[in-house]
């Protein structure tokens, strides 16, 4: 998980305007998935995890 997270964040930083994109669009820009809409199903769970562990 640490490597995958670090690699994803490194790629995300290369995307101009990612702060203003919907989460699914930003993820798709980095991951280039064949199923770009698949990210949406995990959005709430990801937000919950970040909220729970970000500053713990």
């Amino acid at each position: 998980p640490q490597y995958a997270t670090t690699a994803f964040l490194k790629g995300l930083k290369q995307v101009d305007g990612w702060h203003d994109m919907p989460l699914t669009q930003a993820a798709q820009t980095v991951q280039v998935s064949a199923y770009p809409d698949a990210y949406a199903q995990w959005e709430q769970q990801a937000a919950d995890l970040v909220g729970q562990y970000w500053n713990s």
Side-chain angles (χ1 to χ4, degrees), residues 9 15 21 28 34 53-54:
L9 292 175
V15 178
M21 292 180 182
Q28 174 61 10
Y53 294 108
W54 188 260

Side-chain angles (χ1 to χ4, degrees), residues 3-54:
Y3 173 81
T5 300
T6 301
F8 178 83
L9 292 175
K10 183 178 178 181
L12 186 62
K13 289 178 182 179
Q14 302 297 316
V15 178
D16 289 333
W18 69 268
H19 288 99
D20 300 319
M21 292 180 182
L23 176 75
T24 54
Q25 182 182 354
Q28 174 61 10
T29 302
V30 175
Q31 299 290 82
V32 192
S33 170
Y35 303 99
D37 296 328
Y39 297 111
Q41 68 180 324
W42 305 110
E43 185 171 358
Q44 187 59 55
Q45 183 179 3
D48 292 346
L49 287 169
V50 168
Q52 183 176 356
Y53 294 108
W54 188 260

